[in-house]
Amino acid sequence: MTTTVPSVSSWLRRPLPRPAARTSLVCFPHAGGAAAFYTPWARLLPPDVELLAVQYPGRQDRVGEAPAGTMDELAGAVAEALRVDRAGRELVLFGHSMGASVAWETALRLEGSGLGPRHVVVSGRPGPGRQRPGTVHRRDDDGLAAELRRLGGTHGDLLDDPEVRALLLPAVRADYRLIETYRPDTAARLRCPLTAVTGDRDEEATEAEVAVWRTATDGPFTGLVLPGGHFYLVAQAERVVAAVLGACGAPAPSAHPVLP
C-alpha cells in the first residue's frame, strides 16, 4: 500500500449535493466502514440539510492510502477538512461505533479553534472512561472476519470472496488497532449539546455504558435507546435520522416522521 498526502476534499463525500443548505450533517463510519454506509440517509434529510459522509483513508476510492494510525491523526485531519469546507454552515456531527469517538474528538478540535458544532450525536459506543481495550486487531484474517460477521455490519458474501477480503481486511484491522489502543482524555468536555444513542440489545455498548457520555460535555445531554443490536441503525434509518434532526431542532421531513 502506498502512502499519499490526501487533499482536504478527499475526506468528505456529498451523496446529494445541496449548495444552499444551511446545515451540514457530518457522518462518521464504524471500524472498517466507509462513507457509502450513509448514502441512503441523504434523501431522508430536509432541503436545508446536506449530508457529508467522512471517508477514512484505506478503503474504497482511498484504498491506495495508508489508514490512519492514531485517533489524533484521524480526528485532526477531519477537523481541518471541516474547517476548510464549512462555508458558514452549522455543523451537526453523527458517529457510530468507532465513528462516535472520532466524531467527539473532531468536535473537541473544532471547538478548540472556535468553530464548534451545533450538536454531536454518538451511537453504539461506550462513553469515555468505559471504552473497552481489545485485541481483535491481533487476530488472523479468519478471526477478524468472524468478528465482522458477529456484529452484522458487513455483508457475509463480501467476507466469502477472497479478493474482496484482501481489499477489505487491512483497513478493518487498522481501524480496530486505532480504536482498541485509543485512550480518550476523560477530563475533556464539549460545550455543545450531546445525544447518545444505542440499541437495546447492543452488547458492545450497553445502555449504562452509553449513558457515560453525559460526562463528555458541559452542554445538555440526552440518551436514547432504540430496538436492535449493534447495527440497529441499518433497519431504522428513518427513525435514527428523524431523532438526529429532532435533537438538533430541525423538523423531520413530512414524508419521514418519527416512528412511535
Side-chain angles (χ1 to χ4, degrees):
M1 181 175 292
T2 60
T3 300
T4 61
V5 178
S7 66
V8 167
S9 62
S10 68
W11 288 92
L12 304 173
R13 301 289 177 273
R14 288 177 164 81
L16 186 60
R18 289 174 171 165
R22 294 177 296 174
T23 301
S24 295
L25 174 59
V26 186
C27 294
F28 296 73
H30 53 280
F37 180 81
Y38 292 106
T39 295
W41 288 26
R43 297 189 181 278
L44 301 178
L45 299 174
D48 63 345
V49 180
E50 182 183 49
L51 178 72
L52 298 186
V54 176
Q55 186 77 301
Y56 306 145
R59 67 218 66 208
Q60 292 188 336
D61 57 341
R62 300 188 68 185
V63 71
E65 300 175 38
T70 66
M71 180 63 77
D72 187 60
E73 175 188 347
L74 183 56
V78 179
E80 177 59 22
L82 291 173
R83 281 192 288 266
V84 171
D85 183 85
R86 188 166 186 168
R89 292 183 180 184
E90 288 192 324
L91 299 179
V92 175
L93 308 188
F94 177 94
H96 179 66
S97 197
M98 180 184 96
S101 292
V102 185
W104 182 65
E105 290 282 356
T106 299
L108 288 170
R109 287 159 176 78
L110 289 171
E111 285 194 341
S113 67
L115 297 171
R118 174 179 178 180
H119 203 112
V120 174
V121 182
V122 293
S123 165
R125 179 81 177 151
R130 294 293 295 275
Q131 297 184 11
R132 313 166 187 174
T135 58
V136 172
H137 69 279
R138 297 178 185 170
R139 297 182 188 178
D140 62 15
D141 283 357
D142 288 340
L144 195 56
E147 178 68 6
L148 296 181
R149 293 181 194 277
R150 182 183 72 83
L151 293 175
T154 305
H155 292 297
D157 55 350
L158 297 179
L159 298 172
D160 292 335
D161 186 318
E163 292 184 1
V164 173
R165 269 181 39 146
L167 288 173
L168 177 66
L169 292 187
V172 174
R173 188 180 305 282
D175 286 354
Y176 268 92
R177 182 183 300 112
L178 184 155
I179 201 62
E180 289 181 338
T181 58
Y182 162 62
R183 299 294 180 267
D185 178 0
T186 57
R189 301 284 188 277
L190 291 174
R191 297 187 293 275
C192 69
L194 188 147
T195 297
V197 193
T198 195
D200 62 0
R201 299 189 304 278
D202 188 354
E203 297 180 356
E204 304 303 304
T206 66
E207 184 175 353
E209 291 174 321
V210 171
V212 176
W213 280 105
R214 72 174 61 251
T215 68
T217 185
D218 288 328
F221 174 82
T222 303
L224 178 63
V225 180
L226 296 175
H230 190 56
F231 281 94
Y232 73 92
L233 69 171
V234 174
Q236 300 190 82
E238 292 184 13
R239 185 169 185 174
V240 175
V241 169
V244 171
L245 293 172
C248 303
S254 59
H256 303 287
V258 178
L259 304 178

